[in-house]
Amino acid sequence: MRVELHAKSDVGRVRRGNEDNFLLLDLAGARTWSGSDGSENPEDMRQFTIGEQGLVLVVSDGMGGALAGDVASRMAIEAVRDVLMGEKADGTGCDEGSALVDCLKEATMQANRNIHYRSLEDSRCSGMGATLTGAAVRGDILDLVQVGDSRAYVMRGEQIRLATKDQSLVQQLVDVGQISEEEAETHMFRNVILQALGAQTELTPATARIQIRQGDMVLLCSDGLSGKLRNEEIRQIVADSESDLATACKALVAEANNRGGEDNITVVLARFTGEELRAAEGDRITVELPVLEEDKTLDETEADTGQM
């Protein structure tokens, strides 16, 4: 299976600094690229064959302002990189033979601990935190790990599906029927999240799974993008970019800035191809949730509102 990748992070039009970060990690080639490494991922990480070890993509949005937010998001992606590459602080990494998603969850928990203890030890970083949306790809399976309100979308043909669920106060209000999806978009507490890396010593990342089809595209982003563009607008901009991922990322960021750009904007876009993947043939995008979280598989009708 082959993947095409592009990532872009932008400070926006209001913030002084960029507190977002991202990670592209090719485990077979032991290659990584993050937002801290530069604005453009290198040629050898733009298109390649995914090995048996798999691929990991991450977006993290730091919180805490000034130095702290930048530190938190950087620590988040560094923890994922180090654990998955076998370079955890205690000299261990992910156990050989473990499922890739379990390794990503362990890395997320490590990131939480690292950020939490740093915030306690360094007064300049007091109260800092970060979101994390991670995608683990091995074979034709895409597993997602979610903390906070950064997002993952899957696009298949003319479909787009929000594959993660915001861990936010307004989403909770929507879930219990107190406000509508439309009201959530402008609610005064729309930026209040219920889980963040570093907020406390323990957390419970949410997970989801999707079977990848030929030509599927996955988009990870911070809320600087998802807070400005609706699902169908995102899909249309990508479609209008005529299969050029760099053009699509640039256009998405530009449109978010055109609509105010009050927040940092980060986009990671991936497209999967190869004979190993089954043809979509009109298949609807189905997100499977763990039995412990939701004892069912969501069907497409539940995603029409843009939420799970």
Side-chain angles (χ1 to χ4, degrees):
M1 183 170 70
R2 289 187 65 78
V3 63
E4 296 173 63
L5 284 175
H6 200 79
K8 186 173 180 60
S9 191
D10 189 83
V11 69
R13 291 187 165 180
V14 175
R15 300 287 182 89
R16 289 188 173 184
N18 193 345
E19 299 177 11
D20 286 359
N21 216 319
F22 64 82
L23 175 68
L24 316 178
L25 172 54
D26 169 29
L27 287 163
R31 296 176 296 186
T32 69
W33 188 258
S34 75
S36 303
D37 296 325
S39 59
E40 298 286 340
N41 45 308
E43 285 292 334
D44 65 350
M45 291 213 59
R46 294 188 182 184
Q47 187 170 172
F48 54 88
T49 298
I50 302 176
E52 291 184 5
Q53 293 91 333
L55 169 75
V56 170
L57 310 172
V58 177
V59 164
S60 181
D61 182 352
M63 298 165 289
L67 168 69
D70 171 68
V71 170
S73 63
R74 186 174 70 249
M75 290 181 69
I77 61 102
E78 287 176 349
V80 172
R81 180 198 64 201
D82 292 349
V83 171
L84 290 172
M85 297 290 283
E87 301 171 1
K88 210 164 73 170
D90 60 5
T92 66
C94 190
D95 293 336
E96 186 175 351
S98 296
L100 184 56
V101 64
D102 291 336
C103 294
L104 181 54
K105 286 173 67 176
E106 166 58 26
T108 301
M109 302 299 283
Q110 184 65 43
N112 180 65
R113 291 188 288 269
N114 292 353
I115 295 169
H116 181 71
Y117 292 132
R118 176 70 177 274
S119 70
L120 296 178
E121 295 168 356
D122 188 341
S123 60
R124 297 171 300 173
C125 298
S126 178
M128 73 176 178
T131 69
L132 183 143
T133 298
V137 180
R138 180 177 277 172
D140 65 350
I141 298 298
L142 165 70
D143 284 301
L144 296 167
V145 174
Q146 172 84 1
V147 177
D149 64 352
S150 294
R151 291 182 172 184
Y153 298 85
V154 175
M155 288 170 276
R156 179 178 298 163
E158 295 186 355
Q159 303 175 65
I160 183 169
R161 176 72 186 268
L162 174 58
T164 52
K165 186 173 184 176
D166 295 350
Q167 296 174 342
S168 65
L169 176 58
V170 293
Q171 182 59 49
Q172 190 174 73
L173 295 175
V174 169
D175 289 344
V176 299
Q178 290 191 16
I179 63 173
S180 67
E181 293 284 354
E182 292 72 23
E183 291 171 326
E185 293 178 3
T186 57
H187 198 280
M188 64 183 297
F189 295 133
R190 63 186 179 278
N191 293 323
V192 177
I193 60 176
L194 302 180
Q195 277 205 123
L197 300 179
Q200 46 194 334
T201 55
E202 298 296 332
L203 82 165
T204 306
T207 58
R209 171 170 288 185
I210 294 171
Q211 287 196 323
I212 303 170
R213 298 289 182 254
Q214 180 74 244
D216 277 3
M217 301 181 73
V218 174
L219 185 150
L220 307 185
C221 67
S222 61
D223 64 345
L225 181 78
S226 59
K228 291 296 183 181
L229 279 71
R230 293 178 179 271
N231 295 11
E232 181 55 28
E233 292 174 322
I234 292 173
R235 189 202 68 80
Q236 191 61 57
I237 289 172
V238 173
D240 290 345
S241 300
E242 300 180 349
S243 300
D244 188 309
L245 302 193
T247 299
C249 288
K250 183 178 179 180
L252 288 165
V253 169
E255 185 57 29
N257 275 323
N258 288 340
R259 300 186 185 191
E262 293 89 354
D263 203 351
N264 306 144
I265 309 156
T266 297
V267 184
V268 172
L269 190 56
R271 175 168 46 226
F272 301 96
T273 56
E275 295 179 356
E276 303 91 333
L277 296 175
R278 198 176 91 185
E281 296 178 345
D283 287 357
R284 290 187 289 181
I285 303 167
T286 302
V287 179
E288 302 173 10
L289 299 181
V291 173
L292 291 178
E293 291 187 20
E294 295 281 352
D295 189 18
K296 62 179 181 177
T297 296
L298 296 180
D299 62 36
E300 184 65 11
T301 59
E302 292 178 277
D304 289 343
T305 61
Q307 300 286 341
M308 292 200 299

